[in-house]
């Protein structure tokens, strides 16, 4: 089991504190494993096994997960048998109707340390935020980084760095695919099943979507156009070519549903000189580029899009808030902020000629500040210049810090 220390470092300071720890992320990204790692940490810190209660709300094998009252009674009975603090590890809690009030009651009634997971990015925008009044902290969990995938691939199989990255480009980042030897057809089937589950359970059922065919067509459009500028008119034009119509309101509702299910990320533009947020021509990225290969294919053919998606997700994984940069009539692929830090990243497949070199480096050279600037490509030879660092994508993904 990969230790996922990137997340544990963030969670560890809150262990055993009177604050609810909320882990959110797309289905099958490793949230349940994070609960296992938290359990290990609790035991190492002296908690007894008998004080830790794990509950999975996707299970229907036990009665106590069927409604909030049953769950509360079960937890109350567990707390009555335990001495001292109890620890609750509650997985996919959004499946339990009324879970917000139950969590609040547990916080009030018991000496408890609570960890919950959910596949819903808006878990904290509703009643839980109101009930807990700031007594929670959210940790966004993402599928495997390239480093995590590489660690598992190399555990006993001895792939070269280039071979491992080739696998990562097409297989994507879902943790299960790196835990066992799996052939490509099986990997594709696994990702197709995850995608279908997200569409059905996290998008359509939760939001009462009736026109499934329209939803699937729009999602396929977004998946095909990862990293390309998005506008409502471009989608409308595409659907008209398919002899379908959609209102702008419905389109943005669908995008919001997909964002809430942690499947899509809509990234706004920022004027890098004036720091003004621009409300047009956002870009869409996918939580896992392997889903794109499974549903649409062409990750290697569309290598620029695939690399952009990988770098975008890596920046999110490291805690950055990411924007698309605009400097005059030119574009910076990513402007990433974290606290007082900021970095600029240009992504390209190869610096195939001087024209490409001038394009990728020139835009960064026009930005009059001293924050770190990177050009990230598949090239093996560095073309760094004027303080702008040129990194091979594998090297960039494996760097400890961006500075």
């Amino acid at each position: 089991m990969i230790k996922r220390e990137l997340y544990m470092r963030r969670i560890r300071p809150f262990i055993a504190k009177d604050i609810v720890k909320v882990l959110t992320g797309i289905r099958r990204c490793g949230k349940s494993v994070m609960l296992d790692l938290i359990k290990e940490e609790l035991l190492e810190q002296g908690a007894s096994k008998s004080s830790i209660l794990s509950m999975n709300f996707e299970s229907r094998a036990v009665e106590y997960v069927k409604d909030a009252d049953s769950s509360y009674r079960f937890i109350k009975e567990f707390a009555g048998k335990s001495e001292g603090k109890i620890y609750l590890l509650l997985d996919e809690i959004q499946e339990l109707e009324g879970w917000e009030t139950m969590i609040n009651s547990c916080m009030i009634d018991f000496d408890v340390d609570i960890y919950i997971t959910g596949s819903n990015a808006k878990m904290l925008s509703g009643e839980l935020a109101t009930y807990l009044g700031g007594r929670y902290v959210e940790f966004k969990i993402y599928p495997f980084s390239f480093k995590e995938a590489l660690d598992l691939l190399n555990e006993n199989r001895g792939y070269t760095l280039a071979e491992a990255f080739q696998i990562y480009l097409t297989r994507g980042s879902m943790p299960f695919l790196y835990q066992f030897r799996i052939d490509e057809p099986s990997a594709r089937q696994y990702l197709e099943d995850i995608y279908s589950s997200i569409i059905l359970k996290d998008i359509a059922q939760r939001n009462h979507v009736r026109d499934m065919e329209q939803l699937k067509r729009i999602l396929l459009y977004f998946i095909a156009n990862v990293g390309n500028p998005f506008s409502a008119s471009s989608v409308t034009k595409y659907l008209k070519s398919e002899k379908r119509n959609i209102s702008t309101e419905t389109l943005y509702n669908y995008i919001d549903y997909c964002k809430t299910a942690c499947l899509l990320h809509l990234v706004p533009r920022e004027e890098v000189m004036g720091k003004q947020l621009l409300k047009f021509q956002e870009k869409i990225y996918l939580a896992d580029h392997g889903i794109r290969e499974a549903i649409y294919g062409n990750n290697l053919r569309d290598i620029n899009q695939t690399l952009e998606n990988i770098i975008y997700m890596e920046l999110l994984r490291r805690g950055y808030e990411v924007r698309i940069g605009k400097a005059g009539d030119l574009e910076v692929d990513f402007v990433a902020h974290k606290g007082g830090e900021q970095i600029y990243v240009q992504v390209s497949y190869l610096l195939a000629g001087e024209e490409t070199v001038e394009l990728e480096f020139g835009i960064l050279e026009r930005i009059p500040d001293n924050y770190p600037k990177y050009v990230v490509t598949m090239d093996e030879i560095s073309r760094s210049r004027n303080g702008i660092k040129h990194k091979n994508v594998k090297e960039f993904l494996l760097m400890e810090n961006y500075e």
Side-chain angles (χ1 to χ4, degrees), residues 360-379:
E360 303 298 348
F361 281 86
I363 175 62
L364 296 178
E365 289 170 344
R366 289 177 57 176
I367 300 171
D369 63 39
N370 294 316
Y371 289 114
K373 301 176 179 70
Y374 293 92
V375 174
V376 179
T377 74
M378 291 286 286
D379 295 282

Side-chain angles (χ1 to χ4, degrees), residues 14 48 71 88 90 133-134 143 154 164 182 226 229 231 245 250 263 303 333 363 375:
F14 297 95
S48 65
S71 297
L88 301 182
L90 311 178
N154 279 338
I182 298 176
V226 156
S231 67
N245 292 304
T250 299
L263 176 64
I303 188 68
D333 288 328
I363 175 62
V375 174

Side-chain angles (χ1 to χ4, degrees), residues 146 150 153-154 157-167 394:
F146 174 56
L150 179 66
L153 285 173
N154 279 338
R157 287 170 268 182
Y159 287 98
T160 67
L161 190 62
E163 289 169 340
F165 190 65
Q166 185 78 6
I167 292 170
K394 299 183 290 295

Side-chain angles (χ1 to χ4, degrees), residues 55-57 59-74 95-98:
M55 301 170 69
N56 186 333
F57 290 92
S59 171
R60 289 296 177 263
V62 286
E63 284 292 309
Y64 58 75
V65 301
K66 70 179 183 180
D67 58 53
D69 288 339
S70 299
S71 297
Y72 177 80
R73 286 194 297 270
F74 187 80
E95 300 294 333
L96 180 71
E97 188 174 347

